[in-house]
Amino acid sequence: MSSANNSDFTGWVAHDPSAADGNMQWGSFQPKTFEETDIELDISHCGVCGSDIHTLRSGWGPSDYPLVVGHEIIGKVTRVGKDVHDLKIGDRVGVGAQSECCEACKPCKMEQESNCEKMTMTFNGRHSNGEKSYGGYAKTWRGPASFAIPIPDGLPSEFAAPLMCGGVTVYNPLVSYGAGPGKRVGVVGVGGLGHFALLFAKSMNCDKIVAISRSSSKKQDALELGADEFIATGEDSEWMAKNANSLDLIISTVSGSFSLDSYLQLLDVNGTFVQLGAPDDPLPSFSPMGLIFKNLKIAGSLIGTRQHIRDMLELAKKTNLQAWVQVRPMSEANQVVIDFEKGLPRYRYVLKN
Ligand SMILES: NC(=O)c1ccc[n+]([C@@H]2O[C@H](COP(=O)([O-])OP(=O)(O)OC[C@H]3O[C@@H](n4cnc5c(N)ncnc54)[C@H](O)[C@@H]3O)[C@@H](O)[C@H]2O)c1
Ligand SMILES: [Zn+2]
């Protein structure tokens, strides 16, 4: 690993889509200009999210290379701009998938800033000053203090890191769609987001939690994570009929293509299907009949607000949430990306400096 000059930061730089095959280069990159509303972090941990991989391979359209991914960042504050009043050097904070908002658009005024019309994504985005945003597969992070959330004492950094994106992305729709007593919740896709959805649905005391996966290889894990039942869609051709009308809310974390029709059959009257996974390609068409006859709703949801993050961190601390993380050295990031693509994480890799 070579050292960088004073003005540059050092991290895993992706130069083209081959980065997703484990071809990121350790080297220097130019962070945004330091402004008085900014902080710098000495990064201790960064979770590995499916969105990192989509972006590395330009799956959502051409990425803005060179880039540094990673938006589940935990670090200690090492520098504070003059206009930052609520953070100080030494504080332990987290930065998730969003690192800036405009404060002026309709969603921002509704305190729904995670849907800001001009939002800055933590990597592969642009700050309000026009400069590129760089993520957490690095030594140092620089950006606005306004999206750095203090981590409650007692919550380990390796658990806090993946909560910053993976955790809040499922926490938001679970809360927004009333997960809790009286609700039967299905979770499709038992990966990073999915495992958090099972853990949180359990801590919210839902009536029934059902994990839905293609094979039964994760059945035992899902039951330990809080599922009451498990459906292996690839192993039982009768799964839709057997489980029809059995759920009120489905949280789909599926990152690839899937048939919406089949999952809608599992919803009971007035049920809601929330899509969180963001496949590279559009989904196959579906029949509106399934929606119409049961008054179903299809929703999407993007990460969560700062208040969601704060509330979630408190819940995680209060319930002693045990995320299933595998801590790997930052130096192994390329191998970690390869392993992620193979579907090996159980259930979230966290890079540690
Ligand atoms: N909406 C948001 O704000 C938001 C935030 C973070 C991540 N995401 C997206 O969510 C998705 C999941 O992210 P992750 O970090 O949990 O990834 P992950 O790879 O850990 O989990 C995805 C899971 O879906 C499973 N899966 C894939 N295709 C499937 C199918 N057809 N049927 C059933 N299961 C299937 C995979 O095996 C895997 O277990 C990604 O697309 C990511 O970009 C969205
Ligand atoms: Zn993410």
Side-chain angles (χ1 to χ4, degrees):
M1 292 183 187
S2 61
S3 63
N5 71 46
N6 283 340
S7 61
D8 285 355
F9 284 2
T10 310
W12 284 110
V13 183
H15 294 281
D16 59 52
S18 74
D21 305 323
N23 195 25
M24 298 180 292
Q25 310 289 323
W26 183 259
S28 64
F29 62 94
Q30 182 72 56
K32 76 181 287 294
T33 305
F34 191 89
E35 297 173 86
E36 295 304 339
T37 46
D38 286 343
I39 56 166
E40 278 179 20
L41 300 181
D42 185 5
I43 297 170
S44 65
H45 297 78
C46 185
V48 176
C49 174
S51 304
D52 302 353
I53 316 296
H54 289 287
T55 306
L56 287 174
R57 71 166 172 248
S58 283
W60 293 329
S63 296
D64 188 10
Y65 305 100
L67 60 92
V68 174
V69 297
H71 59 200
E72 297 185 336
I73 304 168
I74 302 293
K76 284 257 165 70
V77 177
T78 53
R79 184 179 177 188
V80 180
K82 287 193 189 68
D83 298 335
V84 177
H85 303 298
D86 48 358
L87 292 176
K88 59 182 187 316
I89 287 175
D91 286 353
R92 186 174 63 128
V93 299
V95 176
Q98 179 179 13
S99 50
E100 206 173 335
C101 72
C102 76
E103 312 279 6
C105 69
K106 186 174 169 188
C108 280
K109 291 218 161 101
M110 291 161 64
E111 292 184 21
Q112 200 177 314
E113 73 276 10
S114 46
N115 298 104
C116 170
E117 292 168 10
K118 295 182 183 162
M119 80 146 62
T120 303
M121 297 307 250
T122 295
F123 57 76
N124 197 38
R126 292 271 164 182
H127 287 284
S128 53
N129 69 359
E131 294 174 332
K132 287 175 70 157
S133 60
Y134 289 98
Y137 291 16
K139 287 282 196 204
T140 319
W141 183 83
R142 176 188 288 173
S146 53
F147 277 79
I149 312 286
I151 304 300
D153 289 342
L155 189 61
S157 293
E158 64 267 31
F159 290 176
L163 287 170
M164 295 307 298
C165 172
V168 74
T169 299
V170 299
Y171 175 86
N172 174 357
L174 284 169
V175 170
S176 301
Y177 293 99
K183 290 277 181 182
R184 298 160 296 171
V185 176
V187 174
V188 192
V190 185
L193 267 59
H195 110 284
F196 277 125
L198 296 172
L199 287 169
F200 280 127
K202 182 76 178 171
S203 70
M204 291 170 187
N205 298 314
C206 299
D207 278 8
K208 182 169 81 166
I209 304 169
V210 182
I212 304 161
S213 190
R214 286 169 293 188
S215 80
S216 52
S217 63
K218 296 174 181 167
K219 179 173 181 178
Q220 194 50 41
D221 291 351
L223 298 178
E224 285 176 36
L225 285 161
D228 302 298
E229 295 173 19
F230 188 93
I231 300 173
T233 59
E235 295 175 6
D236 178 3
S237 56
E238 302 289 301
W239 69 273
M240 281 175 272
K242 283 185 189 161
N243 297 286
N245 308 334
S246 64
L247 297 169
D248 304 301
L249 174 64
I250 294 179
I251 302 288
S252 166
T253 72
V254 173
S255 53
S257 190
F258 65 93
S259 155
L260 191 54
D261 279 330
S262 51
Y263 296 124
L264 294 181
Q265 293 189 39
L266 303 193
L267 285 173
D268 206 351
V269 65
N270 296 327
T272 305
F273 181 95
V274 186
Q275 180 63 20
L276 303 177
D280 289 353
D281 299 311
L283 298 182
S285 60
F286 73 99
S287 161
M289 287 305 177
L291 285 183
I292 294 168
F293 274 83
K294 294 194 281 186
N295 282 19
L296 301 183
K297 294 175 274 298
I298 303 178
S301 185
L302 181 61
I303 50 175
T305 65
R306 286 168 287 189
Q307 193 57 47
H308 283 129
I309 295 176
R310 286 188 281 264
D311 292 347
M312 169 198 65
L313 291 172
E314 283 305 326
L315 178 68
K317 184 180 169 182
K318 195 175 100 195
T319 58
N320 193 21
L321 180 111
Q322 297 292 314
W324 290 24
V325 299
Q326 290 164 296
V327 178
R328 309 269 302 260
M330 182 66 80
S331 58
E332 285 179 15
N334 273 323
Q335 188 58 45
V336 167
V337 164
I338 293 168
D339 293 349
F340 189 101
E341 289 261 63
K342 288 184 187 156
L344 297 179
R346 293 291 181 274
Y347 280 89
R348 202 54 146 186
Y349 291 137
V350 176
L351 300 172
K352 184 173 188 296
N353 268 315

